[in-house]
Amino acid sequence: MKKLFFVLLMAVVFSGNVFGQIWDYSKPDKAITFGVRAGVNISSMGGGQGRMYDESLIGFHVGLKTDFNIVKSFAIETGLYYSGKGASKAEKGGNEAWRCPSVQLPVLANFKFPVSNSVEIQVKGGVFLGYVHVEKPESLYVDTKDKMDFGLIVGTGVKIKKFYVGAQFEPGMVDLVNFEKGNRYESRNIAISLGYDF
C-alpha cells in the first residue's frame, strides 16, 4: 500500500510540473458539469502495529460527481459515492474479510491540463467526509458502531473526450474501532476508476 501511494504521489508531482506550462485561465464552456464514476477499491487498515486485520480487501465504488468549473484548468470537484472498504486477515482456509462500507462525500481541487483537443490530464487533491457502517469483525471481541470518517485524497487521471480513467489514494484519519491504545484502525484505500462526463 505504501509503495502504491508513493508511485501515485510521484505521478501527481510529475504531472503538475510537466503540464504547469499549459495552464488555461480562460472561461470554462460550462460552469457546472456532471459525471459518473465506478471502479475497484484496494483497501486496508492503517495505524499502529500488530493489527489482526493487516491484509488488503478488494471492493468497489460507484457514484456521481459534480465539477464547479472556475476556469478551464481548475474546478472544485465534489460528489456522492458508495465505497466498499475494509481489510482482511490470513486464515488457513483463506482470508477473513472485515467490511466497512461507506457513503462518501469528497471536496477536491481539480487541476486540468489539456494535452490536445481531446485529451486532458487531471491532478486532484482534497478531503473526504464519510459515513461508515463498521461491521463487527469476527476476530475482534469489541462492540462496533457506525462512525463518521474523515481523510485526505490525492489522485490523478486522464480524460479522453468524455471518458475518464484515474486512480487516487484515500488515507482516513479516524479510528473506526477504538480497539486498544496504540492500535488504531484507520481506513486506507486506493481507488481505480472509470467514468463518463456528461
Side-chain angles (χ1 to χ4, degrees):
M1 185 68 74
K2 289 182 179 179
K3 291 181 180 179
L4 287 173
F5 169 63
F6 179 76
V7 171
L8 185 59
L9 182 60
M10 289 300 99
V12 170
V13 173
F14 178 77
S15 298
N17 289 335
V18 171
F19 297 104
Q21 59 186 354
I22 53 175
W23 180 270
D24 190 345
Y25 288 97
S26 61
K27 184 178 178 180
D29 297 329
K30 296 181 180 179
I32 302 175
T33 51
F34 302 93
V36 293
R37 297 287 185 269
V40 176
N41 285 350
I42 306 171
S43 61
S44 63
M45 293 290 177
Q49 300 295 323
R51 298 180 307 278
M52 292 184 182
Y53 291 83
D54 58 358
E55 300 287 338
S56 296
L57 180 70
I58 303 299
F60 74 94
H61 63 272
V62 62
L64 301 173
K65 60 152 292 202
T66 302
D67 278 358
F68 295 92
N69 301 299
I70 310 303
V71 294
K72 281 191 174 181
S73 286
F74 179 73
I76 301 298
E77 179 183 327
T78 186
L80 191 64
Y81 296 84
Y82 168 85
S83 187
K85 299 181 182 181
S88 66
K89 73 183 186 76
E91 295 284 358
K92 290 183 179 179
N95 283 12
E96 178 187 306
W98 173 27
R99 303 185 187 280
C100 300
S102 69
V103 176
Q104 192 163 294
L105 174 72
V107 179
L108 309 173
N110 189 351
F111 300 90
K112 306 177 180 183
F113 304 100
V115 178
S116 67
N117 291 334
S118 59
V119 179
E120 176 183 272
I121 301 294
Q122 297 186 5
V123 179
K124 60 187 72 177
V127 299
F128 73 84
L129 181 67
Y131 181 81
V132 185
H133 173 58
V134 184
E135 296 183 359
K136 183 176 178 62
E138 295 181 14
S139 299
L140 291 181
Y141 301 100
V142 294
D143 292 328
T144 61
K145 59 182 180 180
D146 294 354
K147 281 195 171 183
M148 298 301 296
D149 195 12
F150 175 81
L152 306 176
I153 294 178
V154 59
T156 187
V158 179
K159 182 180 173 183
I160 303 174
K161 295 185 177 180
K162 292 189 175 184
F163 295 94
Y164 173 87
V165 59
Q168 61 190 38
F169 179 60
E170 307 168 357
M173 303 174 69
V174 175
D175 189 353
L176 298 177
V177 178
N178 297 325
F179 177 51
E180 60 183 341
K181 186 176 180 180
N183 197 12
R184 295 169 62 85
Y185 283 84
E186 301 165 341
S187 66
R188 299 284 187 270
N189 187 50
I190 289 178
I192 302 171
S193 301
L194 297 176
Y196 182 85
D197 292 343
F198 301 106

